[in-house]
């Protein structure tokens, strides 16, 4: 999602490969036993989280403690930037982890695959909630063997746009339904205002990944390498078209994107719902200038959203109080009250679908000129295309960090560049290339 | 002509090395949002107190600074003593396996810390030291670089002095503290600066060991200012700036020793 994330992931990977010794965790994930209904909750659990997620836990844990006298929920804010270093070392050494940890969706598959037995399989107790959650997030939390996390917040992607630029160019944002429409609109806007279409870090494959998910695919498909699939070629070709028409504002990393947006360098930004928090927090002076439409589709009638970010809660196999850990997670995430409360207070967009019907989502947002942007994103959550995630995604990302800039900055052919990446990934991971 | 050229090159070097520091001061005194304006601010702003208040509120910076200072002081005192004693033993006592022991000490300098992370973490967990101060101080008391530095310092110390001390009835410890140690003050000063800096800047190990906010050291706490969708750059810069002050103090106090300490033994007369 941003450079620091990538660095953290990288160091995590590095630590992982550098550690020759370490504890040997059980090979099979322990399954969470169905707690007997009569059992009274007691004892203490510790939860690691970060950022606003930690704030939400710290705010709500006392409520849970009040409902269940005698239990203690200890929330630790371990900071986001190097959280995965702590978690990786804890899993590797088989000690030092708390009962419950926060994981981003993109991290779950890697930990479930590389540390079998490190995270508890929630299937026995959580399976009944499957239909109630964002399907893309449910897919991200599970693999063929089990379910390793309970989804927390969703990150539906839409297209933020500058109302003033669209007006100046005489483009009706509601008329933009497909990427072809947007490319044409972008050319018109550039002519009228001199502004490019959106900010993208061309050295980073993140935009490519988001588009690929919109097309319903991850880096692997049925266990086979799919970074050179027709969908992948299509996603990268779209970016190349935008680049060739000089519609991409190339800025380095997260800070580059924030400052370019603040300076009004681009007319749109395809990104997730949490971007509203960045806009209102970092650039309050631009209030009234932004609007949101669903992401343009690749084909008319196709998915008009994707995902970028979002996290979940996992129970570690090191826990001594599984029942309490699960009871708290269930209370927090698999219900309307807390999910809506966390949306209102911490802007954590619920992955729990029934919560999205709450009237809060229908409130007009003054920053967006009175538009009901939360309703727009809420309606997209159930349409986020689920994709297959794997423990080799980090490696795929490293290869794409060469392939994507090769195409966008050095003019390589998308198919050739992706074929090469697929070949290398297959060789490194002993997977087959999907035909 | 040549002098002017040298001066110009030096001036460029000075600007290049001072500029980041100056930017740190500028950024620490502005509102985070102003830093992304174009052009960026060039002069210090007026937000110092506001940033300081926010830093105190978000990570309790005062407490964090105090924790860092005292863990670094304890570590520096203990580690310097261990290094000096160990170096003295390796330099001045003859015993079986001395060479092997010295080789082993030097060899540990070549092991990358990443390899030690997990086994060391397991050791700490098995003795119940996770999230304690001793876990960030004790494991690194025997520091191979310090031992080697002090051994080299003691090598040139005349044995005759030790013998005369013994003849006068001084015990080994008394000789060490009263006769030997005062003679290697330059090297000891250098060692103090090195060990203080290494503990002061230590990040990955304290990050792994410490879980409670009330025990965080400065680098770990500052890391918390980097969030998912918001980075408090003004707070980060102010924290980094404040964190350099104790280092400067230590350096100024031990500076004379530091410079002569590094040159010590370079020339033998």
């Amino acid at each position: 999602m941003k450079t620091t994330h990538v660095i953290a992931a990288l160091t995590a990977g590095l630590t992982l490969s550098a550690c020759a010794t370490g504890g040997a965790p059980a090979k099979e994930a322990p399954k969470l036993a169905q707690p007997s209904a009569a059992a009274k909750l007691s004892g203490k659990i510790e939860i690691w989280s970060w950022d606003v997620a930690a704030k939400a836990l710290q705010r709500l844990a006392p409520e849970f403690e009040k409902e269940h006298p005698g239990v203690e929920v200890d929330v630790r804010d371990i900071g986001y930037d190097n959280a995965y270093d702590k978690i990786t070392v804890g899993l590797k050494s088989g000690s030092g982890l708390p009962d419950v940890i926060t994981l981003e969706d993109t991290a779950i598959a890697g930990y479930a695959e590389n540390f079998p037995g490190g995270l508890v399989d929630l299937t026995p107790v959580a399976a009944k909630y499957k239909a109630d959650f964002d399907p893309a997030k449910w897919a991200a939390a599970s693999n063929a063997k089990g379910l390793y996390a309970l989804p927390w917040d969703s990150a539906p992607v839409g297209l933020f746009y500058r109302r003033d630029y669209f007006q100046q160019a005489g483009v009706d944002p509601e008329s933009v339904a497909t990427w072809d429409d947007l490319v044409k609109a972008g050319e018109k806007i550039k002519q009228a205002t001199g502004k490019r279409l959106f900010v993208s870090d061309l050295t980073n494959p993140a935009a490519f990944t988001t588009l690929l998910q919109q097309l319903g695919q991850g880096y692997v498909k049925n266990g086979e390498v799919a970074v050179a699939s027709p969908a992948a070629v299509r996603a990268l070709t779209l970016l190349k078209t935008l680049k060739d028409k000089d519609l991409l504002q190339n800025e380095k990393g997260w800070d580059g994107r924030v400052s370019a947006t603040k300076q009004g360098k681009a007319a749109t930004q395809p990104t997730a719902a949490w971007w509203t928090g960045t806009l209102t927090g970092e650039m309050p002076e631009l209030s009234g200038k932004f609007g949101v439409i669903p992401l343009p589709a690749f084909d008319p009638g196709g998915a008009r959203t994707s995902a970028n970010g979002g996290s979940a809660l996992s129970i570690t196999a090191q826990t001594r109080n599984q029942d309490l850990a699960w009871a708290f997670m269930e209370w927090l995430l698999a219900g309307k009250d807390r999910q809506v409360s966390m949306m209102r207070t911490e802007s954590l967009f619920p992955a729990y679908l029934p919560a999205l019907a709450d009237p809060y989502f229908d409130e007009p947002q003054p920053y967006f000129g009175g538009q009901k942007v939360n309703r727009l994103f809420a309606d997209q959550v159930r349409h986020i295309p689920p994709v297959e995630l794997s423990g080799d995604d980090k490696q795929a990302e490293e290869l794409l960090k060469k392939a994507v800039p090769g195409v966008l900055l050095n003019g390589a052919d998308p198919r050739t560049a992706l074929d090469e990446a697929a070949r290398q990934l297959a060789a490194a991971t002993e997977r087959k290339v999907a035909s | 002509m040549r002098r002017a050229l040298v001066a110009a090159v030096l001036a460029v070097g000075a600007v290049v090395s001072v500029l980041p520091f100056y930017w740190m001061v500028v950024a620490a005194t502005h509102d985070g949002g102003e830093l992304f304006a174009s052009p960026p601010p060039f002069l210090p702003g007026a937000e110092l107190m506001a940033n300081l208040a926010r830093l105190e509120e978000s990570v309790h910076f005062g407490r964090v600074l105090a924790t860092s200072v005292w863990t670094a002081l304890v570590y520096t005192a203990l580690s310097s003593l261990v290094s000096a004693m160990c170096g003295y033993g390796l330099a001045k006592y003859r015993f079986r396996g001395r060479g092997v022991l010295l080789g082993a000490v030097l060899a540990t300098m070549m092991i990358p810390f990443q390899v030690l992370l997990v086994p060391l973490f397991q050791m700490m967990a098995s003795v119940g030291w996770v999230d304690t101060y001793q876990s960030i101080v004790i494991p690194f008391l025997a520091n191979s670089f310090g031992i080697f530095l002090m051994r080299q310092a003691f090598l040139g110390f005349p044995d005759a002095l030790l013998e005369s001390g013994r003849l006068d009835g001084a015990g080994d410890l008394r000789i060490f503290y009263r006769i030997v140690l005062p003679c290697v003050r330059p090297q000891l000063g250098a060692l103090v600066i090195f060990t203080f800096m290494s503990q002061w800047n230590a990040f990955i190990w304290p990050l792994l060991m410490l879980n409670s906010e009330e025990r965080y050291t400065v680098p770990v706490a500052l890391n918390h200012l980097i969030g998912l969708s918001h980075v408090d750059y003004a707070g980060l810069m102010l924290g980094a700036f404040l964190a350099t002050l104790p280092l400067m103090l230590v350096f100024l106090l031990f500076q004379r020793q530091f410079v002569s300490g590094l040159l010590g033994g370079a020339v033998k007369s």
Side-chain angles (χ1 to χ4, degrees), chain A residues 103-122:
Chain A
L103 289 177
E104 283 173 289
D105 292 4
T106 44
I108 302 170
Y111 282 131
E113 208 168 299
N114 294 323
F115 299 102
L119 301 176
V120 172
D121 180 3
L122 305 175

Side-chain angles (χ1 to χ4, degrees), chain B residues 149-196:
Chain B
L149 184 79
M150 294 318 289
R151 175 194 176 260
Q152 298 308 97
F154 290 125
L155 271 185
F157 194 84
D159 287 338
L161 264 177
L162 300 180
E163 279 158 28
S164 77
R166 273 189 200 112
L167 283 178
D168 288 341
D172 281 295
L173 277 179
R174 196 184 170 91
I175 293 175
F176 177 69
Y177 285 118
R178 289 296 164 82
I179 303 175
V180 180
L181 219 46
C183 292
V184 292
R185 263 171 56 190
Q187 286 90 340
L188 204 59
L191 180 65
V192 162
I193 292 180
F194 274 126
T195 46
F196 188 87

Side-chain angles (χ1 to χ4, degrees), chain A residues 157-318:
Chain A
V157 171
L159 188 75
F160 291 78
Y161 67 93
R162 285 284 297 246
R163 294 176 185 277
D164 45 348
Y165 296 170
F166 270 65
Q167 202 170 11
Q168 211 177 321
V171 179
D172 175 14
E174 297 303 324
S175 73
V176 175
T178 64
W179 281 105
D180 289 340
D181 295 343
L182 188 65
V183 172
K184 286 196 197 93
E187 287 176 300
K188 243 173 123 177
I189 293 166
K190 178 135 190 267
Q191 221 166 19
T193 66
K195 309 289 183 184
R196 295 197 175 90
L197 195 53
F198 60 82
V199 183
S200 188
D201 184 345
L202 301 184
T203 62
N204 188 314
F208 166 76
T209 309
T210 306
L211 290 174
L212 189 58
Q213 177 158 14
Q214 192 189 1
L215 287 165
Q217 205 204 286
Y219 299 146
V220 297
K221 198 163 72 183
N222 305 323
E224 297 179 340
V225 172
V227 293
S229 70
V233 174
R234 194 168 181 201
L236 190 51
T237 306
L238 170 62
L239 286 173
K240 185 169 164 40
T241 308
L242 287 163
K243 177 67 174 65
D244 290 345
K245 292 183 186 289
D246 195 24
L247 292 174
L248 295 183
Q249 175 75 27
N250 186 14
E251 301 280 349
K252 189 83 191 122
W254 171 258
D255 303 329
R257 197 217 280 193
V258 171
S259 71
T261 308
K262 197 174 165 74
Q263 293 160 24
K265 285 188 183 170
T268 74
Q269 191 63 46
T271 188
W274 45 257
W275 181 243
T276 55
T278 310
L279 292 180
T280 52
E282 314 263 350
M283 39 203 105
E285 71 279 8
L286 294 180
S287 175
K289 297 240 188 280
F290 289 97
V292 186
I293 57 171
L295 201 61
F298 273 87
D299 300 302
R304 295 204 57 179
T305 189
S306 180
N308 184 355
S311 47
L313 287 179
S314 290
I315 302 181
T316 69
Q318 296 170 30

Side-chain angles (χ1 to χ4, degrees), chain A residues 54 92 140 185 188 206 222 228 252 297 326 344 349 372 395 431:
Chain A
K92 182 84 200 165
K188 243 173 123 177
N222 305 323
K252 189 83 191 122
W326 168 250
R344 281 174 179 273
F349 215 94
K372 297 170 184 172
Q395 234 167 329
R431 289 174 191 270

Side-chain angles (χ1 to χ4, degrees), chain A residues 1-2 4 15 18-19 21-23 46 48 50-51 58 76-82 85-86 89-90 92-93 95-96 104 254-255 258-259 262-263 274 278 282, chain B residues 32-34 36-38 114-115 117-119 121-122 125-126 130-131 203-204 206-216 223-224 226-231 233:
Chain A
M1 176 184 321
K2 39 177 279 199
T4 44
T15 330
C19 299
T21 56
E46 184 180 322
W48 283 1
W50 52 71
D51 216 281
Q58 278 158 354
R76 300 277 169 86
D77 181 348
I78 57 164
Y80 170 69
D81 206 34
N82 289 78
D85 293 341
K86 283 175 85 87
V89 170
K92 182 84 200 165
S93 64
S95 54
E104 283 173 289
W254 171 258
D255 303 329
V258 171
S259 71
K262 197 174 165 74
Q263 293 160 24
W274 45 257
T278 310
E282 314 263 350
Chain B
E34 290 167 21
F36 288 109
S38 111
Q114 285 85 339
V115 177
L117 272 185
V118 170
F121 187 91
Q122 280 173 320
S126 64
V130 172
D131 204 20
F203 172 63
I204 192 76
L207 173 89
L208 291 175
M209 293 313 298
L210 303 176
N211 299 327
S212 306
E213 281 169 68
E214 57 271 20
R215 276 189 271 274
Y216 285 164
N223 186 52
H224 274 55
I226 302 169
L228 257 174
S229 59
H230 176 80
V231 183
Y233 280 106

Side-chain angles (χ1 to χ4, degrees), chain A residues 349-368:
Chain A
F349 215 94
Y352 183 71
L353 299 174
L356 300 172
D358 192 86
Y360 175 76
F361 291 88
D362 297 309
E363 286 175 16
Q365 301 297 317
Y367 187 89
F368 294 93

